[in-house]
Amino acid sequence: MSTKFKQLLFELTEQLSFINLEVDDLIVKSVKSIEITLKIINNLKKQFLKDKTISPETEINFFKNIKPKFTSLSIYHNAIFKIETKMPHGGERITKKYLNNELKKLKRFFDNNLDFYNYHRTGSSFLDFKYFVRRNYDIKLRLDSFYFETDHDFSTSHDFKVAKILAYDLVQVYLETKLSNIGKKEHKGKSQHEPKGKIIWTGSKVALTEILYAFHTKGVFNNGAAELKEIASHFEEIFHIDLGQYRRTFLEIRDRKSDKTKFINSLEEELMKRMEETDDTFL
């Protein structure tokens, strides 16, 4: 991948990571992610079309390996937006049925495109000159009808299908994670020492993830023997929150360019301020 395309992909992943960290609402997060992805894809298109003379090998590499990395992200976030906006408001049984139906849709896509899926997964290249060269389509290769309406200066017959495969792999993980979390809730028994009041975490999930990892790193539970997964499970139960993919969230926190422990730092600042301002009588 050329330096200019690498820089664009880095810029996109950085901005998506920022959105993921700072926005908790899944629908709002999806909308913002789609907007920034489409903007970057437009920049990608401008940069690619600047070069009027490219070799067939370069063209194949771009549409097989580079462009799908960008477009798959727009497909993924659009899929999450649709899933979340159509999520039924009912009990866990209804939610599970809905999520399983969404998984079945993914399976149908893979089943209907099994030949190309296998071609892609096995790293084959003998049909690349048909799949990934512009205006060199073969109608017998089961083309999607929308291809004939695309910009043929920036599309081949199968680059979008590669992007869908990459995106749907991510969607599958997303759906299976949500189903797994429902399963965890179903198997959780009530705590023997359940408090009378209900304490709900109203801060961001990212903030609680900072605390989670800080406690685990410090080893303050079970003399340091408690596993991260156990602590996360207790946090979710005590604070009535679903931390989701907290390991991924931690990686994004770690990759912040500055103020990696933003929430913990703010806790210290607020506590110090309280100590300085609070009169002894009103502790």
Side-chain angles (χ1 to χ4, degrees):
M1 190 186 301
S2 70
T3 303
K4 59 184 179 182
F5 296 147
K6 280 183 179 178
Q7 181 57 39
L8 272 181
L9 187 58
F10 175 78
E11 180 183 340
L12 176 56
T13 53
E14 279 280 288
Q15 294 193 47
L16 291 178
S17 294
F18 176 79
I19 292 170
N20 190 54
L21 285 171
E22 300 301 325
V23 181
D24 284 333
D25 186 282
L26 290 171
I27 294 175
V28 175
K29 184 184 296 186
S30 297
V31 170
K32 289 182 177 294
S33 297
I34 293 167
E35 288 173 350
I36 191 61
T37 303
L38 293 178
K39 181 179 177 182
I40 296 292
I41 289 174
N42 189 50
N43 291 339
L44 176 73
K45 178 179 179 179
K46 289 177 180 178
Q47 289 200 19
F48 175 75
L49 294 179
K50 279 181 182 178
D51 192 348
K52 301 300 181 182
T53 56
I54 61 172
S55 66
E57 292 77 17
T58 300
E59 182 171 355
I60 287 171
N61 180 57
F62 178 81
F63 287 107
K64 183 178 184 179
N65 301 311
I66 297 175
K67 184 188 172 188
K69 286 183 170 67
F70 293 81
T71 49
S72 64
L73 293 171
S74 66
I75 296 168
Y76 168 73
H77 289 293
N78 190 46
I80 300 307
F81 174 79
K82 290 179 179 178
I83 288 169
E84 291 298 331
T85 52
K86 293 190 296 182
M87 188 76 70
H89 297 286
E92 291 179 349
R93 184 181 62 82
I94 294 174
T95 302
K96 283 177 67 177
K97 182 179 179 181
Y98 170 74
L99 295 174
N100 278 312
N101 283 336
E102 292 299 311
L103 280 172
K104 288 177 182 177
K105 291 179 185 178
L106 297 183
K107 186 177 184 304
R108 282 198 294 271
F109 167 78
F110 290 124
D111 288 344
N112 290 337
N113 295 278
L114 190 58
D115 289 343
F116 182 72
Y117 182 81
N118 288 334
Y119 179 90
H120 170 72
R121 288 300 186 207
T122 56
S124 300
S125 58
F126 61 92
L127 285 175
D128 282 1
F129 71 101
K130 287 183 178 290
Y131 288 147
F132 304 113
V133 174
R134 289 169 292 177
R135 298 182 177 85
N136 199 29
Y137 65 86
D138 186 339
I139 197 68
K140 295 187 292 295
L141 294 176
R142 299 184 63 183
L143 303 185
D144 293 327
S145 58
F146 79 89
Y147 166 69
F148 299 104
E149 302 174 11
T150 60
D151 181 354
H152 290 181
D153 287 330
F154 193 60
S155 299
T156 68
S157 63
H158 282 69
D159 67 89
F160 191 73
K161 192 160 285 187
V162 173
K164 286 181 81 171
I165 289 172
L166 298 177
Y168 287 176
D169 281 344
L170 295 175
V171 175
Q172 181 176 342
V173 172
Y174 179 86
L175 293 170
E176 289 175 345
T177 300
K178 290 185 81 74
L179 282 167
S180 175
N181 289 335
I182 292 175
K184 289 177 186 176
K185 291 177 183 177
E186 288 177 344
H187 288 88
K188 276 181 183 177
K190 286 192 174 182
S191 170
Q192 293 178 352
H193 304 287
E194 189 174 349
K196 292 180 181 179
K198 193 173 186 180
I199 301 296
I200 299 175
W201 179 267
T202 54
S204 72
K205 292 181 183 180
V206 178
L208 190 55
T209 302
E210 275 189 40
I211 297 295
L212 166 66
Y213 273 84
F215 281 171
H216 180 254
T217 303
K218 187 66 175 175
V220 295
F221 298 113
N222 300 348
N223 294 317
E227 295 183 0
L228 181 67
K229 187 177 180 180
E230 292 179 278
I231 302 171
S233 179
H234 280 288
F235 271 33
E236 290 179 325
E237 185 174 0
I238 293 168
F239 297 122
H240 299 89
I241 188 172
D242 177 7
L243 286 173
Q245 299 181 42
Y246 56 86
R247 296 180 190 276
R248 178 180 172 184
T249 302
F250 175 71
L251 293 177
E252 292 168 347
I253 292 171
R254 187 193 65 184
D255 291 339
R256 284 173 177 166
K257 290 185 177 180
S258 61
D259 203 9
K260 295 181 187 295
T261 54
K262 180 167 65 175
F263 182 67
I264 292 174
N265 293 343
S266 71
L267 287 180
E268 181 183 11
E269 291 173 7
E270 292 295 325
L271 182 57
M272 291 299 294
K273 183 178 178 182
R274 180 173 180 173
M275 289 177 175
E276 292 169 1
E277 296 178 354
T278 303
D279 187 274
D280 290 348
T281 311
F282 300 100
L283 295 177

